[in-house]
Amino acid sequence: QTVVTQEPSLTVSPGGTVTLTCASSTGAVTSGYYPNWFQQKPGQAPRALIYSTSNRHSWTPARFSGSLLGGKAALTLSGVQPEDEAEYYCLLHYGGAQLGVFGGGTKLTVL
Amino acid sequence: EVQLVQSGAEVKKPGESLKISCKGSGYSFTSYWIGWVRQMPGKGLEWMGIISPSDSDTRYSPSFQGQVTISADKSINTAYLQWSGLKASDTAIYYCARHIPGATTVTTRIDFWGQGTLVTVSS
């Protein structure tokens, strides 16, 4: 059973920078896992932010960026805004990108 | 405008069957895979499986294989998620999501999501 691991919680100050990571139990995350990142606020459906490691959707603010860092997928928020407080999920693809596995989510607090 | 509109909330008893739906509009429904994602109360997202509406090719997460059935009717741009015998542990919000196919892979990303369907299973 493949497990995708994220930090359970992180706290950042308004205007600061924070990096969330996403690790795979199978080993280093590469671009072939096509990492995606999603934001979910309470009572709302998830919203797509990043795909294929580092590509923003047309609606994704430029302060969100994706990368590979130390064998993990990473989501960096620069110039954090109060409205960025949310749960963030990564999604990795396995089996030749036929199946997906979500990480457990990171609760980001802006304080 | 791309939209995925899901059917309304359901309250069912254990052992009952259920089929919920996700209707796509604003795009070519058969050109994208539709997936289903579970979110149990207070918990994270779980990827359940996907279907290609063009030919009903379906892939399931091992965790959900045999537990649910994913289907689609391309004539009415609708995908479905069904259970034949619900359990209390099936209580969750279920989201459908549009999956973009890759050049040589089944899927590489999700872009649009439905609003979610709350399924409550209780005696």
Side-chain angles (χ1 to χ4, degrees), chain A residues 15-68:
Chain A
T17 297
V18 65
T19 297
L20 291 63
T21 67
C22 175
S24 173
S25 61
T26 59
V29 176
T30 66
S31 59
Y33 286 81
Y34 303 98
N36 283 220
W37 291 92
F38 304 90
Q39 178 192 66
Q40 187 180 35
K41 295 183 178 180
Q44 296 183 16
R47 181 175 76 128
L49 294 174
I50 299 287
Y51 65 93
S52 295
T53 305
S54 59
N55 295 280
R56 293 185 199 90
H57 290 275
S58 59
W59 52 81
T60 304
R63 62 181 183 275
F64 292 87
S65 62
S67 64
L68 295 176

mmCIF file of all heavy atoms in Angstrom, chain A residues 15-68:
data_model
loop_
_atom_site.group_PDB
_atom_site.id
_atom_site.type_symbol
_atom_site.label_atom_id
_atom_site.label_comp_id
_atom_site.label_asym_id
_atom_site.label_seq_id
_atom_site.Cartn_x
_atom_site.Cartn_y
_atom_site.Cartn_z
ATOM 1 N N GLY A 15 2.766 37.573 5.076
ATOM 2 C CA GLY A 15 3.907 38.120 4.344
ATOM 3 C C GLY A 15 5.116 37.208 4.308
ATOM 4 O O GLY A 15 6.065 37.476 3.573
ATOM 5 N N GLY A 16 5.085 36.146 5.061
ATOM 6 C CA GLY A 16 6.217 35.224 5.116
ATOM 7 C C GLY A 16 6.205 34.202 3.998
ATOM 8 O O GLY A 16 5.370 34.250 3.092
ATOM 9 N N THR A 17 7.161 33.293 4.079
ATOM 10 C CA THR A 17 7.311 32.222 3.094
ATOM 11 C C THR A 17 7.293 30.888 3.805
ATOM 12 O O THR A 17 7.871 30.744 4.894
ATOM 13 C CB THR A 17 8.644 32.378 2.329
ATOM 14 O OG1 THR A 17 8.604 33.618 1.595
ATOM 15 C CG2 THR A 17 8.856 31.216 1.357
ATOM 16 N N VAL A 18 6.621 29.917 3.208
ATOM 17 C CA VAL A 18 6.547 28.578 3.807
ATOM 18 C C VAL A 18 6.603 27.541 2.693
ATOM 19 O O VAL A 18 6.119 27.778 1.580
ATOM 20 C CB VAL A 18 5.253 28.425 4.640
ATOM 21 C CG1 VAL A 18 4.015 28.510 3.770
ATOM 22 C CG2 VAL A 18 5.259 27.117 5.428
ATOM 23 N N THR A 19 7.239 26.403 2.998
ATOM 24 C CA THR A 19 7.326 25.307 2.038
ATOM 25 C C THR A 19 6.688 24.065 2.608
ATOM 26 O O THR A 19 7.035 23.642 3.719
ATOM 27 C CB THR A 19 8.788 25.032 1.655
ATOM 28 O OG1 THR A 19 9.333 26.186 0.991
ATOM 29 C CG2 THR A 19 8.883 23.833 0.714
ATOM 30 N N LEU A 20 5.756 23.482 1.872
ATOM 31 C CA LEU A 20 5.101 22.238 2.229
ATOM 32 C C LEU A 20 5.728 21.134 1.377
ATOM 33 O O LEU A 20 6.041 21.374 0.198
ATOM 34 C CB LEU A 20 3.601 22.304 1.933
ATOM 35 C CG LEU A 20 2.710 23.219 2.779
ATOM 36 C CD1 LEU A 20 3.069 24.703 2.656
ATOM 37 C CD2 LEU A 20 1.248 23.001 2.393
ATOM 38 N N THR A 21 5.881 19.941 1.944
ATOM 39 C CA THR A 21 6.492 18.870 1.168
ATOM 40 C C THR A 21 5.589 17.646 1.088
ATOM 41 O O THR A 21 4.633 17.494 1.861
ATOM 42 C CB THR A 21 7.868 18.458 1.722
ATOM 43 O OG1 THR A 21 7.690 17.854 3.001
ATOM 44 C CG2 THR A 21 8.792 19.650 1.804
ATOM 45 N N CYS A 22 5.944 16.763 0.144
ATOM 46 C CA CYS A 22 5.129 15.594 -0.197
ATOM 47 C C CYS A 22 6.069 14.449 -0.542
ATOM 48 O O CYS A 22 6.784 14.521 -1.552
ATOM 49 C CB CYS A 22 4.251 15.978 -1.387
ATOM 50 S SG CYS A 22 3.242 14.689 -2.113
ATOM 51 N N ALA A 23 6.091 13.422 0.313
ATOM 52 C CA ALA A 23 7.021 12.314 0.144
ATOM 53 C C ALA A 23 6.280 11.031 -0.187
ATOM 54 O O ALA A 23 5.130 10.842 0.225
ATOM 55 C CB ALA A 23 7.829 12.123 1.428
ATOM 56 N N SER A 24 6.964 10.151 -0.921
ATOM 57 C CA SER A 24 6.383 8.872 -1.301
ATOM 58 C C SER A 24 7.080 7.724 -0.568
ATOM 59 O O SER A 24 8.312 7.707 -0.456
ATOM 60 C CB SER A 24 6.511 8.658 -2.808
ATOM 61 O OG SER A 24 6.098 7.346 -3.170
ATOM 62 N N SER A 25 6.302 6.738 -0.128
ATOM 63 C CA SER A 25 6.869 5.564 0.544
ATOM 64 C C SER A 25 7.668 4.697 -0.421
ATOM 65 O O SER A 25 8.422 3.818 0.006
ATOM 66 C CB SER A 25 5.766 4.729 1.198
ATOM 67 O OG SER A 25 4.857 4.253 0.219
ATOM 68 N N THR A 26 7.540 4.933 -1.729
ATOM 69 C CA THR A 26 8.243 4.126 -2.727
ATOM 70 C C THR A 26 9.632 4.658 -3.019
ATOM 71 O O THR A 26 10.394 4.028 -3.735
ATOM 72 C CB THR A 26 7.441 4.073 -4.044
ATOM 73 O OG1 THR A 26 7.254 5.402 -4.538
ATOM 74 C CG2 THR A 26 6.094 3.413 -3.828
ATOM 75 N N GLY A 27 9.955 5.853 -2.500
ATOM 76 C CA GLY A 27 11.262 6.429 -2.746
ATOM 77 C C GLY A 27 11.159 7.876 -3.189
ATOM 78 O O GLY A 27 10.153 8.544 -2.917
ATOM 79 N N ALA A 28 12.207 8.352 -3.851
ATOM 80 C CA ALA A 28 12.236 9.757 -4.246
ATOM 81 C C ALA A 28 11.109 10.087 -5.217
ATOM 82 O O ALA A 28 10.802 9.308 -6.128
ATOM 83 C CB ALA A 28 13.582 10.090 -4.878
ATOM 84 N N VAL A 29 10.511 11.253 -5.015
ATOM 85 C CA VAL A 29 9.488 11.746 -5.945
ATOM 86 C C VAL A 29 10.195 12.408 -7.119
ATOM 87 O O VAL A 29 11.083 13.251 -6.936
ATOM 88 C CB VAL A 29 8.559 12.752 -5.244
ATOM 89 C CG1 VAL A 29 7.558 13.338 -6.250
ATOM 90 C CG2 VAL A 29 7.799 12.081 -4.097
ATOM 91 N N THR A 30 9.817 12.019 -8.306
ATOM 92 C CA THR A 30 10.358 12.603 -9.532
ATOM 93 C C THR A 30 9.232 13.230 -10.335
ATOM 94 O O THR A 30 8.057 13.115 -9.996
ATOM 95 C CB THR A 30 11.052 11.545 -10.386
ATOM 96 O OG1 THR A 30 10.045 10.618 -10.852
ATOM 97 C CG2 THR A 30 12.097 10.780 -9.589
ATOM 98 N N SER A 31 9.598 13.861 -11.446
ATOM 99 C CA SER A 31 8.576 14.474 -12.295
ATOM 100 C C SER A 31 7.617 13.438 -12.865
ATOM 101 O O SER A 31 6.483 13.761 -13.227
ATOM 102 C CB SER A 31 9.235 15.260 -13.428
ATOM 103 O OG SER A 31 10.054 14.406 -14.211
ATOM 104 N N GLY A 32 8.055 12.192 -12.937
ATOM 105 C CA GLY A 32 7.211 11.119 -13.454
ATOM 106 C C GLY A 32 6.027 10.776 -12.562
ATOM 107 O O GLY A 32 5.152 10.016 -12.965
ATOM 108 N N TYR A 33 6.026 11.304 -11.340
ATOM 109 C CA TYR A 33 4.864 11.151 -10.464
ATOM 110 C C TYR A 33 3.829 12.252 -10.714
ATOM 111 O O TYR A 33 2.772 12.268 -10.106
ATOM 112 C CB TYR A 33 5.310 11.198 -8.992
ATOM 113 C CG TYR A 33 6.024 9.951 -8.530
ATOM 114 C CD1 TYR A 33 7.375 9.734 -8.809
ATOM 115 C CD2 TYR A 33 5.354 8.965 -7.807
ATOM 116 C CE1 TYR A 33 8.024 8.591 -8.383
ATOM 117 C CE2 TYR A 33 6.005 7.823 -7.369
ATOM 118 C CZ TYR A 33 7.338 7.648 -7.666
ATOM 119 O OH TYR A 33 7.997 6.502 -7.235
ATOM 120 N N TYR A 34 4.179 13.206 -11.587
ATOM 121 C CA TYR A 34 3.276 14.305 -11.941
ATOM 122 C C TYR A 34 2.611 14.908 -10.704
ATOM 123 O O TYR A 34 1.379 14.934 -10.586
ATOM 124 C CB TYR A 34 2.197 13.824 -12.933
ATOM 125 C CG TYR A 34 2.782 13.239 -14.193
ATOM 126 C CD1 TYR A 34 2.919 11.874 -14.344
ATOM 127 C CD2 TYR A 34 3.221 14.068 -15.227
ATOM 128 C CE1 TYR A 34 3.470 11.333 -15.510
ATOM 129 C CE2 TYR A 34 3.765 13.538 -16.388
ATOM 130 C CZ TYR A 34 3.891 12.166 -16.519
ATOM 131 O OH TYR A 34 4.431 11.641 -17.657
ATOM 132 N N PRO A 35 3.405 15.426 -9.757
ATOM 133 C CA PRO A 35 2.808 15.974 -8.535
ATOM 134 C C PRO A 35 1.809 17.100 -8.801
ATOM 135 O O PRO A 35 2.052 17.997 -9.610
ATOM 136 C CB PRO A 35 4.020 16.516 -7.764
ATOM 137 C CG PRO A 35 5.200 15.780 -8.320
ATOM 138 C CD PRO A 35 4.877 15.540 -9.761
ATOM 139 N N ASN A 36 0.679 17.004 -8.132
ATOM 140 C CA ASN A 36 -0.347 18.039 -8.157
ATOM 141 C C ASN A 36 -0.520 18.547 -6.723
ATOM 142 O O ASN A 36 -0.345 17.778 -5.774
ATOM 143 C CB ASN A 36 -1.700 17.468 -8.600
ATOM 144 C CG ASN A 36 -1.845 17.222 -10.087
ATOM 145 O OD1 ASN A 36 -2.907 17.488 -10.641
ATOM 146 N ND2 ASN A 36 -0.815 16.700 -10.737
ATOM 147 N N TRP A 37 -0.936 19.803 -6.609
ATOM 148 C CA TRP A 37 -1.254 20.400 -5.310
ATOM 149 C C TRP A 37 -2.638 21.027 -5.342
ATOM 150 O O TRP A 37 -3.029 21.640 -6.353
ATOM 151 C CB TRP A 37 -0.220 21.466 -4.947
ATOM 152 C CG TRP A 37 1.131 20.906 -4.640
ATOM 153 C CD1 TRP A 37 2.165 20.713 -5.518
ATOM 154 C CD2 TRP A 37 1.600 20.474 -3.351
ATOM 155 N NE1 TRP A 37 3.253 20.185 -4.840
ATOM 156 C CE2 TRP A 37 2.926 20.032 -3.535
ATOM 157 C CE3 TRP A 37 1.036 20.409 -2.079
ATOM 158 C CZ2 TRP A 37 3.702 19.532 -2.471
ATOM 159 C CZ3 TRP A 37 1.802 19.919 -1.033
ATOM 160 C CH2 TRP A 37 3.114 19.492 -1.228
ATOM 161 N N PHE A 38 -3.360 20.876 -4.217
ATOM 162 C CA PHE A 38 -4.719 21.384 -4.099
ATOM 163 C C PHE A 38 -4.877 22.126 -2.778
ATOM 164 O O PHE A 38 -4.229 21.797 -1.786
ATOM 165 C CB PHE A 38 -5.736 20.234 -4.155
ATOM 166 C CG PHE A 38 -5.609 19.399 -5.387
ATOM 167 C CD1 PHE A 38 -4.774 18.295 -5.409
ATOM 168 C CD2 PHE A 38 -6.308 19.723 -6.534
ATOM 169 C CE1 PHE A 38 -4.629 17.531 -6.559
ATOM 170 C CE2 PHE A 38 -6.175 18.971 -7.693
ATOM 171 C CZ PHE A 38 -5.331 17.876 -7.704
ATOM 172 N N GLN A 39 -5.758 23.114 -2.804
ATOM 173 C CA GLN A 39 -6.107 23.868 -1.605
ATOM 174 C C GLN A 39 -7.570 23.582 -1.265
ATOM 175 O O GLN A 39 -8.421 23.563 -2.165
ATOM 176 C CB GLN A 39 -5.936 25.369 -1.880
ATOM 177 C CG GLN A 39 -6.321 26.285 -0.733
ATOM 178 C CD GLN A 39 -6.408 27.733 -1.192
ATOM 179 O OE1 GLN A 39 -7.260 28.109 -1.985
ATOM 180 N NE2 GLN A 39 -5.505 28.559 -0.682
ATOM 181 N N GLN A 40 -7.844 23.340 0.007
ATOM 182 C CA GLN A 40 -9.221 23.155 0.423
ATOM 183 C C GLN A 40 -9.501 23.985 1.670
ATOM 184 O O GLN A 40 -8.808 23.840 2.686
ATOM 185 C CB GLN A 40 -9.541 21.678 0.693
ATOM 186 C CG GLN A 40 -11.021 21.450 0.966
ATOM 187 C CD GLN A 40 -11.373 20.004 1.243
ATOM 188 O OE1 GLN A 40 -10.599 19.263 1.840
ATOM 189 N NE2 GLN A 40 -12.555 19.584 0.813
ATOM 190 N N LYS A 41 -10.525 24.814 1.584
ATOM 191 C CA LYS A 41 -10.972 25.593 2.742
ATOM 192 C C LYS A 41 -12.207 24.928 3.334
ATOM 193 O O LYS A 41 -12.906 24.194 2.640
ATOM 194 C CB LYS A 41 -11.258 27.033 2.313
ATOM 195 C CG LYS A 41 -10.002 27.743 1.842
ATOM 196 C CD LYS A 41 -10.256 29.187 1.475
ATOM 197 C CE LYS A 41 -8.940 29.852 1.055
ATOM 198 N NZ LYS A 41 -9.112 31.262 0.681
ATOM 199 N N PRO A 42 -12.474 25.148 4.612
ATOM 200 C CA PRO A 42 -13.600 24.477 5.277
ATOM 201 C C PRO A 42 -14.909 24.656 4.529
ATOM 202 O O PRO A 42 -15.278 25.759 4.132
ATOM 203 C CB PRO A 42 -13.633 25.148 6.650
ATOM 204 C CG PRO A 42 -12.234 25.583 6.890
ATOM 205 C CD PRO A 42 -11.713 26.001 5.545
ATOM 206 N N GLY A 43 -15.609 23.533 4.332
ATOM 207 C CA GLY A 43 -16.914 23.573 3.685
ATOM 208 C C GLY A 43 -16.878 23.747 2.184
ATOM 209 O O GLY A 43 -17.938 23.908 1.562
ATOM 210 N N GLN A 44 -15.686 23.731 1.599
ATOM 211 C CA GLN A 44 -15.576 23.918 0.155
ATOM 212 C C GLN A 44 -14.960 22.700 -0.513
ATOM 213 O O GLN A 44 -14.261 21.910 0.128
ATOM 214 C CB GLN A 44 -14.716 25.141 -0.158
ATOM 215 C CG GLN A 44 -15.297 26.457 0.320
ATOM 216 C CD GLN A 44 -14.432 27.636 -0.074
ATOM 217 O OE1 GLN A 44 -13.548 27.519 -0.947
ATOM 218 N NE2 GLN A 44 -14.672 28.787 0.541
ATOM 219 N N ALA A 45 -15.207 22.574 -1.807
ATOM 220 C CA ALA A 45 -14.525 21.557 -2.600
ATOM 221 C C ALA A 45 -13.063 21.966 -2.763
ATOM 222 O O ALA A 45 -12.718 23.149 -2.681
ATOM 223 C CB ALA A 45 -15.181 21.426 -3.966
ATOM 224 N N PRO A 46 -12.189 20.997 -2.977
ATOM 225 C CA PRO A 46 -10.785 21.339 -3.238
ATOM 226 C C PRO A 46 -10.661 22.186 -4.500
ATOM 227 O O PRO A 46 -11.523 22.162 -5.380
ATOM 228 C CB PRO A 46 -10.119 19.971 -3.437
ATOM 229 C CG PRO A 46 -11.022 19.001 -2.763
ATOM 230 C CD PRO A 46 -12.403 19.545 -2.953
ATOM 231 N N ARG A 47 -9.562 22.940 -4.567
ATOM 232 C CA ARG A 47 -9.263 23.757 -5.753
ATOM 233 C C ARG A 47 -7.858 23.416 -6.212
ATOM 234 O O ARG A 47 -6.928 23.369 -5.394
ATOM 235 C CB ARG A 47 -9.361 25.231 -5.394
ATOM 236 C CG ARG A 47 -9.103 26.193 -6.549
ATOM 237 C CD ARG A 47 -9.350 27.633 -6.133
ATOM 238 N NE ARG A 47 -8.278 28.176 -5.322
ATOM 239 C CZ ARG A 47 -7.631 29.314 -5.561
ATOM 240 N NH1 ARG A 47 -7.926 30.005 -6.651
ATOM 241 N NH2 ARG A 47 -6.718 29.752 -4.727
ATOM 242 N N ALA A 48 -7.703 23.185 -7.507
ATOM 243 C CA ALA A 48 -6.394 22.833 -8.054
ATOM 244 C C ALA A 48 -5.483 24.056 -8.075
ATOM 245 O O ALA A 48 -5.903 25.153 -8.446
ATOM 246 C CB ALA A 48 -6.548 22.260 -9.463
ATOM 247 N N LEU A 49 -4.215 23.847 -7.680
ATOM 248 C CA LEU A 49 -3.236 24.929 -7.673
ATOM 249 C C LEU A 49 -2.085 24.687 -8.663
ATOM 250 O O LEU A 49 -1.729 25.561 -9.449
ATOM 251 C CB LEU A 49 -2.625 25.079 -6.274
ATOM 252 C CG LEU A 49 -3.516 25.535 -5.132
ATOM 253 C CD1 LEU A 49 -2.729 25.462 -3.817
ATOM 254 C CD2 LEU A 49 -4.029 26.941 -5.378
ATOM 255 N N ILE A 50 -1.477 23.517 -8.570
ATOM 256 C CA ILE A 50 -0.248 23.193 -9.315
ATOM 257 C C ILE A 50 -0.398 21.812 -9.929
ATOM 258 O O ILE A 50 -0.970 20.912 -9.307
ATOM 259 C CB ILE A 50 0.974 23.189 -8.366
ATOM 260 C CG1 ILE A 50 1.198 24.544 -7.721
ATOM 261 C CG2 ILE A 50 2.241 22.698 -9.095
ATOM 262 C CD1 ILE A 50 1.763 25.604 -8.652
ATOM 263 N N TYR A 51 0.137 21.620 -11.141
ATOM 264 C CA TYR A 51 0.178 20.297 -11.757
ATOM 265 C C TYR A 51 1.544 20.044 -12.380
ATOM 266 O O TYR A 51 2.301 20.982 -12.645
ATOM 267 C CB TYR A 51 -0.942 20.143 -12.797
ATOM 268 C CG TYR A 51 -0.815 21.051 -14.007
ATOM 269 C CD1 TYR A 51 -0.184 20.625 -15.163
ATOM 270 C CD2 TYR A 51 -1.346 22.343 -13.979
ATOM 271 C CE1 TYR A 51 -0.067 21.449 -16.261
ATOM 272 C CE2 TYR A 51 -1.220 23.181 -15.069
ATOM 273 C CZ TYR A 51 -0.591 22.735 -16.217
ATOM 274 O OH TYR A 51 -0.479 23.559 -17.299
ATOM 275 N N SER A 52 1.827 18.755 -12.575
ATOM 276 C CA SER A 52 3.104 18.346 -13.173
ATOM 277 C C SER A 52 4.279 19.086 -12.530
ATOM 278 O O SER A 52 5.081 19.731 -13.220
ATOM 279 C CB SER A 52 3.070 18.570 -14.681
ATOM 280 O OG SER A 52 2.112 17.727 -15.286
ATOM 281 N N THR A 53 4.354 18.988 -11.228
ATOM 282 C CA THR A 53 5.425 19.524 -10.385
ATOM 283 C C THR A 53 5.352 21.032 -10.178
ATOM 284 O O THR A 53 5.356 21.496 -9.032
ATOM 285 C CB THR A 53 6.826 19.175 -10.932
ATOM 286 O OG1 THR A 53 6.935 17.753 -11.091
ATOM 287 C CG2 THR A 53 7.912 19.665 -9.990
ATOM 288 N N SER A 54 5.329 21.808 -11.276
ATOM 289 C CA SER A 54 5.563 23.245 -11.123
ATOM 290 C C SER A 54 4.670 24.135 -11.983
ATOM 291 O O SER A 54 4.905 25.346 -12.038
ATOM 292 C CB SER A 54 7.027 23.549 -11.440
ATOM 293 O OG SER A 54 7.330 23.133 -12.766
ATOM 294 N N ASN A 55 3.696 23.559 -12.648
ATOM 295 C CA ASN A 55 2.846 24.358 -13.536
ATOM 296 C C ASN A 55 1.618 24.899 -12.793
ATOM 297 O O ASN A 55 0.903 24.130 -12.152
ATOM 298 C CB ASN A 55 2.382 23.513 -14.717
ATOM 299 C CG ASN A 55 3.535 23.094 -15.599
ATOM 300 O OD1 ASN A 55 4.009 23.861 -16.424
ATOM 301 N ND2 ASN A 55 4.021 21.879 -15.397
ATOM 302 N N ARG A 56 1.415 26.205 -12.894
ATOM 303 C CA ARG A 56 0.233 26.811 -12.271
ATOM 304 C C ARG A 56 -0.963 26.716 -13.219
ATOM 305 O O ARG A 56 -0.825 26.845 -14.436
ATOM 306 C CB ARG A 56 0.471 28.291 -11.970
ATOM 307 C CG ARG A 56 1.509 28.583 -10.920
ATOM 308 C CD ARG A 56 1.569 30.073 -10.613
ATOM 309 N NE ARG A 56 2.826 30.397 -9.956
ATOM 310 C CZ ARG A 56 3.940 30.757 -10.593
ATOM 311 N NH1 ARG A 56 3.935 30.881 -11.908
ATOM 312 N NH2 ARG A 56 5.045 31.009 -9.914
ATOM 313 N N HIS A 57 -2.145 26.538 -12.647
ATOM 314 C CA HIS A 57 -3.361 26.687 -13.433
ATOM 315 C C HIS A 57 -3.565 28.180 -13.696
ATOM 316 O O HIS A 57 -2.951 29.024 -13.051
ATOM 317 C CB HIS A 57 -4.552 26.095 -12.691
ATOM 318 C CG HIS A 57 -4.521 24.602 -12.598
ATOM 319 N ND1 HIS A 57 -5.008 23.795 -13.607
ATOM 320 C CD2 HIS A 57 -4.049 23.785 -11.632
ATOM 321 C CE1 HIS A 57 -4.842 22.530 -13.253
ATOM 322 N NE2 HIS A 57 -4.256 22.494 -12.060
ATOM 323 N N SER A 58 -4.443 28.490 -14.629
ATOM 324 C CA SER A 58 -4.633 29.884 -15.029
ATOM 325 C C SER A 58 -5.117 30.753 -13.864
ATOM 326 O O SER A 58 -4.899 31.953 -13.850
ATOM 327 C CB SER A 58 -5.611 29.976 -16.200
ATOM 328 O OG SER A 58 -6.859 29.418 -15.850
ATOM 329 N N TRP A 59 -5.768 30.140 -12.888
ATOM 330 C CA TRP A 59 -6.323 30.886 -11.772
ATOM 331 C C TRP A 59 -5.418 30.901 -10.536
ATOM 332 O O TRP A 59 -5.768 31.509 -9.518
ATOM 333 C CB TRP A 59 -7.665 30.271 -11.382
ATOM 334 C CG TRP A 59 -7.591 28.793 -11.149
ATOM 335 C CD1 TRP A 59 -7.158 28.140 -10.011
ATOM 336 C CD2 TRP A 59 -7.931 27.758 -12.080
ATOM 337 N NE1 TRP A 59 -7.220 26.789 -10.188
ATOM 338 C CE2 TRP A 59 -7.693 26.511 -11.451
ATOM 339 C CE3 TRP A 59 -8.422 27.758 -13.388
ATOM 340 C CZ2 TRP A 59 -7.920 25.294 -12.086
ATOM 341 C CZ3 TRP A 59 -8.645 26.558 -14.007
ATOM 342 C CH2 TRP A 59 -8.401 25.343 -13.356
ATOM 343 N N THR A 60 -4.291 30.251 -10.602
ATOM 344 C CA THR A 60 -3.418 30.134 -9.431
ATOM 345 C C THR A 60 -2.552 31.387 -9.274
ATOM 346 O O THR A 60 -1.826 31.754 -10.207
ATOM 347 C CB THR A 60 -2.502 28.906 -9.561
ATOM 348 O OG1 THR A 60 -3.303 27.751 -9.756
ATOM 349 C CG2 THR A 60 -1.635 28.751 -8.325
ATOM 350 N N PRO A 61 -2.625 32.036 -8.107
ATOM 351 C CA PRO A 61 -1.771 33.222 -7.890
ATOM 352 C C PRO A 61 -0.292 32.885 -7.997
ATOM 353 O O PRO A 61 0.140 31.780 -7.661
ATOM 354 C CB PRO A 61 -2.130 33.637 -6.450
ATOM 355 C CG PRO A 61 -3.481 33.074 -6.212
ATOM 356 C CD PRO A 61 -3.510 31.772 -6.967
ATOM 357 N N ALA A 62 0.485 33.859 -8.461
ATOM 358 C CA ALA A 62 1.915 33.657 -8.698
ATOM 359 C C ALA A 62 2.693 33.381 -7.409
ATOM 360 O O ALA A 62 3.815 32.864 -7.470
ATOM 361 C CB ALA A 62 2.493 34.875 -9.404
ATOM 362 N N ARG A 63 2.104 33.676 -6.239
ATOM 363 C CA ARG A 63 2.823 33.434 -4.982
ATOM 364 C C ARG A 63 2.903 31.932 -4.648
ATOM 365 O O ARG A 63 3.623 31.531 -3.734
ATOM 366 C CB ARG A 63 2.191 34.188 -3.817
ATOM 367 C CG ARG A 63 0.765 33.822 -3.487
ATOM 368 C CD ARG A 63 0.267 34.677 -2.314
ATOM 369 N NE ARG A 63 -1.090 34.334 -1.898
ATOM 370 C CZ ARG A 63 -2.183 34.820 -2.465
ATOM 371 N NH1 ARG A 63 -2.085 35.675 -3.469
ATOM 372 N NH2 ARG A 63 -3.392 34.458 -2.037
ATOM 373 N N PHE A 64 2.163 31.115 -5.393
ATOM 374 C CA PHE A 64 2.239 29.662 -5.220
ATOM 375 C C PHE A 64 3.204 29.097 -6.273
ATOM 376 O O PHE A 64 3.040 29.356 -7.472
ATOM 377 C CB PHE A 64 0.865 28.992 -5.415
ATOM 378 C CG PHE A 64 -0.136 29.311 -4.350
ATOM 379 C CD1 PHE A 64 -0.938 30.442 -4.456
ATOM 380 C CD2 PHE A 64 -0.279 28.494 -3.241
ATOM 381 C CE1 PHE A 64 -1.868 30.745 -3.476
ATOM 382 C CE2 PHE A 64 -1.205 28.781 -2.259
ATOM 383 C CZ PHE A 64 -2.003 29.907 -2.372
ATOM 384 N N SER A 65 4.188 28.329 -5.821
ATOM 385 C CA SER A 65 5.097 27.705 -6.779
ATOM 386 C C SER A 65 5.383 26.268 -6.353
ATOM 387 O O SER A 65 5.407 25.957 -5.158
ATOM 388 C CB SER A 65 6.397 28.497 -6.911
ATOM 389 O OG SER A 65 7.078 28.529 -5.675
ATOM 390 N N GLY A 66 5.617 25.400 -7.337
ATOM 391 C CA GLY A 66 5.887 24.002 -7.071
ATOM 392 C C GLY A 66 7.271 23.615 -7.556
ATOM 393 O O GLY A 66 7.809 24.214 -8.503
ATOM 394 N N SER A 67 7.864 22.608 -6.902
ATOM 395 C CA SER A 67 9.202 22.161 -7.271
ATOM 396 C C SER A 67 9.437 20.762 -6.724
ATOM 397 O O SER A 67 8.563 20.180 -6.072
ATOM 398 C CB SER A 67 10.254 23.122 -6.699
ATOM 399 O OG SER A 67 10.223 23.095 -5.275
ATOM 400 N N LEU A 68 10.637 20.223 -7.032
ATOM 401 C CA LEU A 68 11.126 19.009 -6.395
ATOM 402 C C LEU A 68 12.273 19.421 -5.480
ATOM 403 O O LEU A 68 13.150 20.189 -5.895
ATOM 404 C CB LEU A 68 11.608 18.003 -7.436
ATOM 405 C CG LEU A 68 10.535 17.444 -8.382
ATOM 406 C CD1 LEU A 68 11.169 16.536 -9.431
ATOM 407 C CD2 LEU A 68 9.464 16.709 -7.603
#
